[in-house]
Amino acid sequence: MVQQIDPEKQEKIVRMARVTVDRWAFLTTCCYTYDETKLDAPVALIPEKDYLRELVILWETKRLLCLPKSRRMIMSWSLRALELHLAMFEPFSAIYLASNKQDKSDAMLGRHKFLYDNLPGDLIFRKPEMVIHRGRTGLPTRIDFPEMDSKIVAVSSDPDELRQEGATLVVLEELATWDHPREAWPAILPVIQGGGRIVIVSSAIPNSFFQDITYDNLGQTVVRAEQKSMMRGA
């Protein structure tokens, strides 16, 4: 006798399988953000915006991605959701997030925790365990997924902190406001050798290092050659 599968349970299995491989589906059906300015409904799903769909495509396909942003675009939340998906579903992922200050980097990991804690139970039957290490401010400074051997680590813009053994993904947040971005950049490039990726997201501030790198106008022959080599492999 063939056992019949409950249709509702079967639908949930299909949806679960989809969100583990389809990052756009994960963002728009699983990821809840928090907006303190919306007092009537501060918690809401990431919306299905065309520019966010394009962001997912670029994030998945480019080794070096520069993203000028403005406020109220949900860009940071969407990037945190993509990083969470990578750490949760792809083994041995090593993700490093850097802002100009350590506490700002730690705050980004706070968003990963919020996204994780609010994943809907009817879509995620069993999410991998999250282990949180907190920094001096009490905010998460490192998140581990032991079952996946994956991690998300917050670091500051200090060049020495970015000299890691290797990274699947390095995210540089608000690069235009960093104190010494030109000194940090040569330390970052070796971190992704072997196939890693860099995502840079920042407000578009004129005459900044972020503008130079976005328009390939670094003015440093060696660094530019390394950057173009990365772009050819993108």
Side-chain angles (χ1 to χ4, degrees):
M1 181 177 177
V2 178
Q3 184 176 2
Q4 296 295 321
I5 300 177
D6 178 64
E8 184 177 349
K9 183 176 181 180
Q10 186 176 28
E11 181 186 357
K12 288 182 179 180
I13 293 172
V14 172
R15 289 160 67 195
M16 170 60 184
R18 181 186 177 196
V19 300
T20 61
V21 296
D22 185 337
R23 292 191 176 96
W24 177 245
F26 178 72
L27 262 66
T28 56
T29 64
C30 298
C31 294
Y32 285 83
T33 68
Y34 180 82
D35 187 346
E36 59 277 2
T37 67
K38 297 181 179 179
L39 299 180
D40 55 336
V43 178
L45 276 171
I46 291 176
E48 295 188 32
K49 300 287 188 180
D50 289 342
Y51 71 87
L52 291 178
R53 185 187 291 271
E54 184 69 18
L55 168 66
V56 173
I57 294 171
L58 293 171
W59 187 92
E60 291 180 325
T61 57
K62 301 298 181 181
R63 287 198 64 204
L64 175 59
L65 179 60
C66 294
L67 298 167
K69 70 170 183 177
S70 61
R71 294 180 62 83
R72 319 304 300 172
M73 293 184 67
I74 322 177
M75 188 76 74
S76 293
W77 276 108
S78 298
L79 290 171
R80 302 298 82 83
L82 289 168
E83 295 146 13
L84 179 65
H85 189 279
L86 178 63
M88 286 178 57
F89 298 121
E90 297 200 22
F92 306 106
S93 295
I95 303 163
Y96 294 91
L97 276 67
S99 188
N100 58 339
K101 303 295 182 183
Q102 181 67 50
D103 56 349
K104 291 184 179 180
S105 300
D106 292 350
M108 288 193 287
L109 266 66
R111 291 195 171 188
H112 294 99
K113 183 179 185 303
F114 183 89
L115 289 163
Y116 177 89
D117 289 343
N118 287 277
L119 291 174
D122 64 338
L123 288 174
I124 305 294
F125 294 132
R126 184 180 179 278
K127 53 191 179 185
E129 178 190 7
M130 172 186 280
V131 177
I132 296 174
H133 308 269
R134 298 187 181 276
R136 59 179 180 81
T137 63
L139 295 171
T141 196
R142 171 173 169 154
I143 292 173
D144 288 329
F145 293 95
E147 299 166 60
M148 305 301 292
D149 288 312
S150 295
K151 60 186 177 183
I152 307 174
V153 184
V155 296
S156 72
S157 60
D158 186 327
D160 289 334
E161 289 209 36
L162 296 169
R163 299 181 191 277
Q164 307 291 340
E165 295 183 359
T168 308
L169 175 67
V170 176
V171 181
L172 311 180
E173 186 84 12
E174 290 298 347
L175 185 66
T177 67
W178 287 24
D179 294 330
H180 305 289
R182 294 183 187 276
E183 291 79 5
W185 184 245
I188 296 169
L189 289 177
V191 174
I192 65 162
Q193 287 182 353
R197 297 182 290 120
I198 295 177
V199 172
I200 307 173
V201 57
S202 180
S203 302
I205 299 177
N207 303 315
S208 64
F209 179 74
F210 176 64
Q211 176 179 294
D212 289 343
I213 197 170
T214 299
Y215 291 99
D216 191 21
N217 189 32
L218 295 180
Q220 299 180 35
T221 304
V222 174
V223 174
R224 179 178 293 179
E226 288 184 279
Q227 182 190 6
K228 288 186 176 181
S229 175
M230 288 172 54
M231 294 295 287
R232 285 194 294 270

